[in-house]
Amino acid sequence: MSKKQVQKINNIIEGATKAAKRTASSYVTVEHLLYALIDDEEVNAILHEFELDTNHLKDLLNEYLLTNRVEDDPRTPPSKTLVLERTFNRAFTQTIFAGRKSLEPRDLFVSIMSEKNTPAYTILNAFNISRDQVIGKFKEIEQGQQEVQKAEKQEELLQQFCINLNEECQSSNELIGRDAELFDVSQTLARRKKNNVMLLGEAGVGKTAIVEGLAKLITEDNVPNILKNMTVWQLNMSALLAGTRYRGDFEERVQDLIGILKDRQDIILFIDEIHTIMGAGSAGGQSPDLANLIKPVLESGSLKIIGATTWDEYRSTVEKDTAINRRFNTVEIVEPDVTTAKDIVKGNINPYELHHHVVYNPEAVNAVVELAKDHVHAKQLPDSAFDVLDRAGARQKVLEDKEHWEITKDDIKYEISKMSNIPVELLGKAKENNDYVDIEVNIGKKVFGQDEAITKLADSVYIAQSGLKELTKPIGNYLFTGPTGVGKTETCKTLAEALGMKLLRYDMSEYQERHSVSRLIGAPPGYMGYDEGGAGSGELINKLKETPNAVLLFDEVEKANPDVLNILLQIMDNGIVTGSNGQTANARNAIVIMTSNLGAADAEKRVIGFGQGYNDSAQEEAVKKHFAPEFRNRLDAVIIFKKLDKKIIKHIAKRLLTELQHQVNAVQGVGFSWSKEAIDLLAKEGFSETMGARPMKRVINEQIKRPLARRVLFNKGEKLKVVNLVTVENKLELEFE
């Protein structure tokens, strides 16, 4: 017996004893017991069921007790009669036969009704109350109590292992633009069998939001009749597993939960990340997991379950278990379009404004969806847009800038820049800034004699920044051809500097073997490193994720294995590169440049006619022979770099000496100058018909930097002020002042 029940019985006995003392009786009789029982809540309720006036009954009992009392020494406490003891024994026997562990007031009342030769029975019988009627009433009450206890226990279990979304949904987002998906979910839940839904979609598209929105619509009574008065409970997997130390604990919990769901047809169970039920609760395969435990009841229609997972997890886990898979009806949740995403953001922006104490202006709301769509590829709309809005609001909250209470488009661009590693000035369109006006000029300062190539390259950047490029392709796809040393690689470096982009250079001579493709996109299935992250995902994948706004330089692309070229096809056409393990990286904000020396040797041959020239058609033919038509068709242009002449070589020599001048002055504080004759001699010695301008850096290193370094380090205490580069006997010499 519980303490509460023991106390209850003790109070009745004490009440009977007090009644005996009050009537100056030497014995505690059945009538005293009945007098005390009338005050019990349960017994009193039964008497009222028979429309009996309990006050009148107490008056009759009191009259009898005062009239028929047995007096003895008043100092002696009243003792129990044999009839009273028999009444208690009978009550205990009834309790045991009823399968209960504790004596209750109802048992004593029924036992009194069995003592037909007592005045108590006679009084009760005068009111037309029989023992069978009393027992029937008590059974009804007991059943009601059991149902209440059962409901309370069920509610307790649900509260322990689940979350009531109907209660939590008041803070949920408004469900906008998902009418078709919501109809499909409702239709499946209304089925007789297999009424279980599997929501499939990429992370962030709003799978959980649909379920929360459904719960909110239920509370607002804005759902079909089949779903009215339903309650959506979300399974808390961690709570279900917590504390299941011994074999059988988990199975018992699951069976209890299934029992509740079968009993209560007003429950929809939501399992987020439903792929986690595969293997959940299983002890190394020795016991069934959660998936196997719920299989038998899924098909019958006795449960209503909504699951949500991503396509990747679905294919890798759920789809492989055909028994589970066929019991669910899939509803695909796709990323909303830009217009719908804007409506979703506008309809749910108020909670963010209230939380951060800011206001998002209309321009910022429109921009966040557009920019997130174009530049935040790790997440899907609308989650990516809400993430940016939250970040922008949180930044102002941390800064505590009371004057800056309005979130503008600039704030949105700042946050997207941090998330995507794309400079702020490169977000949006060129009409908003003038950073691209001088691209040709800036590149022309370092690359000489290639005006046509620079113009074509700059045009592609202008098209992209004006918003006229195809959104699914990189900014530009170019093939640079020409002899070595004419500025192909230098143009790429200068372009990256001019645009504030990072240069990602890949020497294709390192990717000549077929297996080397794994270095770019990761190891294929079945090979070491396939399931690993980091370097196992591939160099190109990892670099593009870190820096999506970059110049991709594939140097000497003709040396690459054909399998590598197939990867380039995907990049040039879709702006996406997919790794062996399914990971993707975005290249739509990148400029793809490939360099090649194909046909350079044939182009240098003497042209038919007068003098010497450069045969461009030889390079064009070489490109056509080496690269397949589908590869060439994806190129924006094949840019041919011309062979350098002596005039251009002098410009290059002057630029390199200027760079050295700045370096010497910055590091040593020494002036550096040169003569016209020195420029001419450097241009002559630093140029090769076959190597172009590449030897010039070697000449500068050997004939200028080496003696200059020795003099700087071993100057014997003499402070250098000026260094002059001159020619002496047709040789480059340094004069020190």
Side-chain angles (χ1 to χ4, degrees), residues 198-449:
M198 180 82 71
L199 302 179
L200 293 176
E202 299 301 327
V205 297
K207 300 184 296 296
T208 305
I210 288 177
V211 181
E212 292 175 349
L214 174 63
K216 195 169 187 177
L217 291 174
I218 291 173
T219 60
E220 297 171 353
D221 202 24
N222 191 21
V223 291
N225 290 329
I226 188 69
L227 297 179
K228 287 186 177 180
N229 301 318
M230 301 291 284
T231 305
V232 183
W233 290 85
Q234 181 176 349
L235 181 65
N236 188 345
M237 187 68 73
S238 58
L240 190 65
L241 293 169
T244 54
R245 294 174 294 178
Y246 302 105
R247 189 170 181 178
D249 288 352
F250 178 75
E251 290 87 341
E252 184 178 354
R253 288 183 180 182
V254 174
Q255 292 302 332
D256 289 342
L257 191 59
I258 291 173
I260 295 171
L261 298 177
K262 291 173 70 175
D263 280 349
R264 294 179 54 176
Q265 295 297 306
D266 63 335
I267 292 179
I268 299 172
L269 184 65
F270 173 50
I271 306 177
D272 202 7
E273 308 294 340
I274 195 171
H275 60 273
T276 58
I277 70 173
M278 319 299 291
S282 177
Q286 298 179 1
S287 57
D289 58 5
L290 180 56
N292 285 309
L293 290 172
I294 65 173
K295 278 178 187 177
V297 290
L298 281 176
E299 192 169 2
S300 64
S302 55
L303 302 183
K304 290 182 175 66
I305 294 180
I306 301 177
T309 187
T310 63
W311 278 107
D312 289 341
E313 297 293 350
Y314 172 75
R315 295 188 184 100
S316 62
T317 54
V318 181
E319 195 176 33
K320 294 179 180 179
D321 193 331
T322 55
I324 282 287
N325 188 36
R326 71 181 183 85
R327 288 170 167 83
F328 282 89
N329 293 280
T330 60
V331 177
E332 185 178 3
I333 311 299
V334 298
E335 184 182 29
D337 56 44
V338 173
T339 303
T340 304
K342 286 181 180 180
D343 293 337
I344 294 172
V345 172
K346 290 175 183 177
N348 295 282
I349 201 170
N350 189 53
Y352 292 91
E353 292 181 333
L354 293 175
H355 180 78
H356 297 299
H357 305 291
V358 297
V359 173
Y360 299 89
N361 66 29
E363 189 181 24
V365 174
N366 289 325
V368 72
V369 176
E370 296 172 355
L371 293 174
K373 176 69 175 178
D374 293 339
H375 304 293
V376 184
H377 301 284
K379 300 179 180 179
Q380 304 282 322
L381 290 174
D383 184 62
S384 58
F386 283 120
D387 196 20
V388 176
L389 288 174
D390 204 10
R391 288 172 61 114
R395 182 170 181 266
Q396 296 307 320
K397 200 172 184 178
V398 173
L399 291 174
E400 296 182 346
D401 187 357
K402 295 182 179 179
E403 296 183 358
H404 194 150
W405 53 269
E406 184 181 30
I407 302 298
T408 65
K409 185 177 180 178
D410 290 337
D411 299 315
I412 299 300
K413 290 175 68 176
Y414 176 81
E415 294 301 330
I416 289 184
S417 174
K418 290 178 63 178
M419 295 173 67
S420 62
N421 291 321
I422 300 174
V424 174
E425 60 271 14
L426 298 182
L427 294 173
K429 301 177 181 179
K431 63 184 180 181
E432 300 172 2
N433 55 73
N434 297 315
D435 295 335
Y436 306 98
V437 175
D438 298 327
I439 287 180
E440 293 178 79
V441 177
N442 292 333
I443 298 177
K445 289 179 180 179
K446 292 188 175 183
V447 180
F448 303 99

Side-chain angles (χ1 to χ4, degrees), residues 660 697-714 734 736:
L660 179 61
K697 289 186 178 181
R698 186 165 56 250
V699 173
I700 291 174
N701 191 61
E702 293 178 355
Q703 299 188 27
I704 301 175
K705 287 186 178 181
R706 188 177 296 175
L708 179 59
R710 286 180 173 272
R711 182 57 188 263
V712 168
L713 294 175
F714 311 108
L734 294 176
F736 302 100

Side-chain angles (χ1 to χ4, degrees), residues 48-65:
H48 281 291
E49 285 285 330
F50 290 104
E51 299 181 355
L52 193 150
D53 188 351
T54 54
N55 291 326
H56 181 53
L57 178 60
K58 291 180 79 174
D59 290 340
L60 290 175
L61 285 170
N62 194 49
E63 183 181 351
Y64 170 80
L65 292 171

Side-chain angles (χ1 to χ4, degrees), residues 479-618:
L479 176 64
F480 290 178
T481 65
T484 184
V486 296
K488 299 187 296 294
T489 304
E490 189 67 26
T491 299
C492 298
K493 294 178 180 178
T494 307
L495 176 66
E497 292 175 4
L499 296 178
M501 293 179 169
K502 188 174 181 179
L503 178 67
L504 302 179
R505 181 179 179 183
Y506 298 91
D507 191 344
M508 292 292 99
S509 62
E510 300 177 10
Y511 300 90
Q512 298 185 36
E513 301 296 332
R514 187 174 184 180
H515 62 77
S516 61
V517 70
S518 62
R519 290 179 55 190
L520 290 176
I521 62 172
Y527 286 78
M528 186 178 295
Y530 171 67
D531 294 326
E532 299 178 4
S537 301
E539 295 177 8
L540 183 59
I541 299 285
N542 293 333
K543 290 293 184 182
L544 273 177
K545 283 184 175 182
E546 294 173 7
T547 323
N549 183 243
V551 175
L552 288 178
L553 172 58
F554 300 97
D555 219 357
E556 300 185 19
V557 69
E558 76 275 5
K559 297 179 180 179
N561 190 274
D563 287 352
V564 176
L565 297 182
N566 292 332
I567 297 172
L568 297 181
L569 290 178
Q570 184 189 13
I571 297 176
M572 290 190 291
D573 198 31
N574 299 318
I576 297 290
V577 56
T578 305
S580 298
N581 57 4
Q583 294 187 41
T584 60
N586 185 276
R588 292 170 182 174
N589 294 294
I591 300 176
V592 181
I593 300 176
M594 294 154 282
T595 67
S596 173
N597 297 324
L598 285 171
D602 293 333
E604 290 179 358
K605 294 179 180 178
R606 187 182 296 273
V607 182
I608 298 175
F610 297 97
Q612 288 203 322
Y614 196 78
N615 190 1
D616 290 345
S617 62

